[in-house]
Amino acid sequence: MITPTQASAENEILCRLAPIIPVLVVDDASVARPLAEALVAGGLPVLEVTLRTDAALDVIREMSQVEGGVVGAGTLLTPEDVQNAVDAGARFGVSPGATDRLLDACEAADLPLLPGAATASEAMALLERGYTVQKFFPAEANGGAPALKAIGAPIPQVRFCPTGGVSLKNAPDYLGLSNVLCAGGSWVAPKDLVTKGDWKAIEELAREAAQLSR
């Protein structure tokens, strides 16, 4: 059984591997492996596959076989999601928010969770439980980098991965904050390039994102 402290320590290591974690919504498991290979080759080894499609669990299974990649499951909402993600090979989890039931399930399943928080109160509640690494979501809708900076002033113990509306243009605003470890973004794997199978273009987008400074 993993503790919140251990989960945060493991996720901090992952968050420090690259400045951007690709947030992936994939409809077709057949593209999973070449997509993961392109992102990893471009310098983004940590991949979040959101459980928003019927193919998501198969995508996690395929991507988990890519050398150099660390694949996690996003949009965890229920204990069933947690078990399915673990069975598919997810090495970490991400949630848009946090409930005691979800936190209990992740801890029991030994799945390091990056739990979502949108307010100071939510961040404090997670910190009270022992989660010092959290997801700030939805980042842009909640005031963006200025809001996250403001939350960090009275709660410096918590480090964040902002996700939701993060782009190549505004990512540096987040990455420049002292309480940000990395950011999550979907722009590195746009649907049109995935559909066309333009893995070279995706690799270039990943390489551009991997060079963002923190």
Side-chain angles (χ1 to χ4, degrees), residues 86-113:
V86 170
D87 291 344
R91 291 174 56 184
F92 66 96
V94 185
S95 61
T99 65
D100 287 335
R101 190 163 171 256
L102 181 65
L103 295 170
D104 290 344
C106 286
E107 290 161 16
D110 283 327
L111 185 68
L113 179 68

Side-chain angles (χ1 to χ4, degrees), residues 114-152:
L114 188 64
T119 67
S121 292
E122 291 171 0
M124 288 171 62
L126 286 167
L127 175 62
E128 193 172 86
R129 185 159 175 149
Y131 287 92
T132 56
V133 177
Q134 304 173 19
K135 168 182 172 177
F136 182 58
F137 176 84
E140 281 295 285
N142 277 309
L148 190 50
K149 180 180 180 180
I151 288 175

Side-chain angles (χ1 to χ4, degrees), residues 11-31:
N11 277 329
E12 180 166 355
I13 291 171
L14 294 182
C15 285
R16 292 187 181 280
L17 291 179
I20 299 297
I21 295 178
V23 179
L24 307 170
V25 181
V26 185
D27 298 301
D28 182 0
S30 70
V31 304

Side-chain angles (χ1 to χ4, degrees), residues 16-63:
R16 292 187 181 280
L17 291 179
I20 299 297
I21 295 178
V23 179
L24 307 170
V25 181
V26 185
D27 298 301
D28 182 0
S30 70
V31 304
R33 191 173 299 203
L35 173 57
E37 289 172 345
L39 292 167
V40 171
L44 302 181
V46 184
L47 312 174
E48 175 191 340
V49 178
T50 62
L51 301 187
R52 301 183 193 179
T53 71
D54 292 338
L57 293 173
D58 287 332
V59 171
I60 291 172
R61 291 186 185 95
E62 288 296 318
M63 288 190 170

